[in-house]
Amino acid sequence: MMMKTHWISFGIVCAAMAQADAKNLMDYFQPMEPQGPLVSEGIFGTPEVFPRDSLNGLEDSNVENWVYWDGRIVKDDAGKYHLYASRWDQKYSHSQGWHEGSKAVHSVSDNVMGPYKDTGLAWPHWQEGKGHNVIGLRMHDGRYAMVCSGITYGEVFTSDNPDGPWELLGKIQVDENGFSRNLALLGLGEGERERLSNVSLILRPDGRYMIVPRSTCTMISDNGILGPYKIMHDRVYRKYPDLPQSKNEDPTVWYSGGMYHIVYNNWPSKTAYHFTSADGINDWTYRGVAFKKDAMPFRYTDGTVNDWSFIERPMAFVEDGHVTHFTFSVIDVKKGKDKGGDKHGSKILVVPFDGEAFDRDMEKLVADEME
C-alpha cells in the first residue's frame, strides 16, 4: 500500500525553527485557585470533570434553569468584574439552545475568578433578549458596549453603566475593501440573511476599533464602533497550507507586549492556533499551537485536573497591559449528548494566565527574529 508523503510548508518550518527554544501560549496558563471546595455531588458533570470548583466563572451548578456560553470579562472603574455572556434554558439540548433559545445576559463578581452572579437579560426589550456570540468591551469614550452575532446580524448595545440598561446603538457595517464579503459575513444570501459570526472586537491603542470574525481576517474602523469596518486581509492561516484550512472558528484578539495576537479554534481537532502581528494588519506570523484539548491544563492549585469534553470560545482578559486570565466555554460531554433537562451542561470557566512572562518572552522571540 502506498504511503502519502506529507510535506511541511516552508513557512511552518521557519516558524518552528524560530521557536525551537520558545514556549507555546499554553505553557503560560496557571493553576486555578478554588473559590470554594472542590465537589462532585449536587452539580452537573461527568467523572472526568470531578471534583471541580462550581464557583469558578459562571454556571448554574444544578442546571435547574440555565446553561451558559460565550463571554468576555470587563472590569469597571469601581473594581468589579462584569462577564457578558449568553445563556439558554436547560430544557434545550445544546444544538437547539445556541440557535433557538440563546439570550444575552450580564453577570458580575467582586473577584475575576468568580463566582459571577447572573443579573438577568441584558436587553429584554429587544427581541426578547435574543443574543449569541456575546462579548463586552469599553469604548473610546468610556461607555460600555456589548456585541452579539451568530444568530443576529452583528448588533452593538451600549450603556453608561456596566450594569445597564442597554440600548441598541446599531448594526456593524462592513466595507469589503476589495476582498470577498464572505470573509466578514456568513454567506447565507443577501440582506437580512447575512450576519457576522464569532465576532471578537477590541479598541486598539490608536483609538480605532478592530474586529476579527470567524474567518480570522482583521477589519478596521476609523469611524467608531459601528464602522464601516474595512476588511484588511485574507484569513491569517491562508499562507500556511499545512494548517487546517476549514472548520476554524472562535477567534479572540488582543493587544499586549507591543503586538497584536489572534487565537482561533479548529473544532474537529480540538486544537487552537496562535498568530501575532506588529500592527494587527500585516505580516501575521504563526506562533504554534495555542492550546489543545488533550493537553489543556485545567489544573487547580492542589493538583486536581478537570478534563472537559469540549473547550471553546477562548477570550483574553487584559489588565494593565497584559493578559491575566482567559475565559473558556466548556461542556462536560459531546455537544450531541447534552440533551434538554439532563444533568449535563456547559459553563464559562476562568483560567489564570501569566501574561507578563508571555509578553516578555514574545518580545524576545520577535527581537531575535529581526537580528
Side-chain angles (χ1 to χ4, degrees):
M1 182 174 64
M2 295 184 60
M3 297 181 63
K4 293 182 179 179
T5 301
H6 296 276
W7 295 99
I8 301 176
S9 72
F10 178 75
I12 290 185
V13 169
C14 291
M17 292 174 63
Q19 296 187 71
D21 298 319
K23 297 179 180 179
N24 287 336
L25 183 142
M26 186 170 65
D27 296 316
Y28 297 89
F29 286 105
Q30 302 293 296
M32 300 176 290
E33 181 71 37
Q35 304 306 300
L38 301 184
V39 295
S40 302
E41 303 292 334
I43 59 174
F44 78 83
T46 62
E48 290 75 17
V49 300
F50 291 150
R52 66 179 182 82
D53 180 11
S54 64
L55 301 182
N56 175 301
L58 175 61
E59 71 169 87
D60 179 351
S61 60
N62 295 314
V63 286
E64 293 180 346
N65 297 297
W66 317 113
V67 291
Y68 293 94
W69 204 251
D70 298 319
R72 184 197 275 167
I73 297 170
V74 178
K75 188 178 182 181
D76 70 18
D77 296 332
K80 287 185 178 294
Y81 298 90
H82 302 264
L83 179 53
Y84 303 108
S86 66
R87 77 179 189 201
W88 54 86
D89 194 298
Q90 58 83 32
K91 70 181 181 182
Y92 292 109
S93 68
H94 185 94
S95 58
Q96 290 177 306
W98 78 264
H99 68 89
E100 293 182 19
S102 188
K103 313 274 187 177
V105 296
H106 162 260
S107 65
V108 63
S109 176
D110 293 324
N111 184 342
V112 66
M113 294 291 292
Y116 285 83
K117 179 182 178 182
D118 182 345
T119 67
L121 299 182
W123 43 80
H125 56 288
W126 186 81
Q127 295 195 32
E128 299 180 327
K130 187 175 183 178
H132 195 60
N133 292 166
V134 177
I135 61 168
L137 70 153
R138 296 291 294 271
M139 296 171 62
H140 184 64
D141 60 9
R143 285 184 297 161
Y144 297 83
M146 290 179 70
V147 182
C148 61
S149 61
I151 63 172
T152 61
Y153 174 83
E155 290 78 11
V156 177
F157 295 79
T158 60
S159 177
D160 294 329
N161 190 309
D163 301 314
W166 300 90
E167 296 299 331
L168 177 63
L169 182 66
K171 295 181 178 180
I172 293 169
Q173 303 300 311
V174 175
D175 176 353
E176 291 96 316
N177 195 30
F179 291 90
S180 168
R181 189 170 178 81
N182 288 338
L183 287 172
L185 299 160
L186 291 182
L188 299 178
E190 298 295 327
E192 292 300 316
R193 296 190 66 194
E194 289 184 313
R195 63 181 186 270
L196 288 151
S197 179
N198 291 177
V199 166
S200 185
L201 193 160
I202 62 169
L203 176 60
R204 293 166 51 104
D206 61 13
R208 296 188 291 173
Y209 290 92
M210 184 165 106
I211 283 177
V212 178
R214 179 189 292 261
S215 71
T216 73
C217 74
T218 57
M219 307 193 300
I220 304 291
S221 169
D222 296 312
N223 193 36
I225 195 169
L226 292 181
Y229 287 82
K230 290 185 177 181
I231 301 174
M232 307 306 294
H233 58 77
D234 205 335
R235 297 164 175 84
V236 296
Y237 49 82
R238 180 57 62 86
K239 67 177 182 178
Y240 296 94
D242 291 293
L243 293 179
Q245 297 294 303
S246 64
K247 300 180 180 179
N248 297 312
E249 60 181 10
D250 292 350
T252 183
V253 60
W254 73 91
Y255 179 85
S256 67
M259 68 186 76
Y260 292 85
H261 301 261
I262 289 176
V263 167
Y264 66 88
N265 186 43
N266 177 254
W267 62 263
S269 65
K270 298 183 180 180
T271 303
Y273 299 95
H274 176 213
F275 282 73
T276 66
S277 167
D279 62 6
I281 301 171
N282 301 295
D283 301 321
W284 283 98
T285 302
Y286 175 53
R287 297 300 180 186
V289 171
F291 58 87
K292 189 175 178 65
K293 187 266 177 189
D294 291 340
M296 184 63 193
F298 288 134
R299 186 182 306 276
Y300 296 101
T301 49
D302 70 353
T304 301
V305 175
N306 294 156
D307 182 14
W308 293 92
S309 183
F310 274 82
I311 306 164
E312 298 188 357
R313 302 293 289 150
M315 282 287 163
F317 172 64
V318 177
E319 187 169 17
D320 298 327
H322 304 285
V323 177
T324 63
H325 296 79
F326 273 81
T327 56
F328 294 91
S329 298
V330 295
I331 185 170
D332 65 318
V333 292
K334 292 182 178 180
K335 293 178 180 179
K337 292 186 176 181
D338 176 24
K339 306 300 183 182
D342 64 12
K343 288 299 180 181
H344 299 297
S346 59
K347 67 170 288 181
I348 301 166
L349 192 69
V350 184
V351 183
F353 185 83
D354 189 353
E356 291 189 25
F358 170 75
D359 286 333
R360 182 176 61 247
D361 292 347
M362 285 300 306
E363 288 175 14
K364 183 179 185 305
L365 175 63
V366 172
D368 289 346
E369 291 173 348
M370 298 180 67
E371 288 183 354

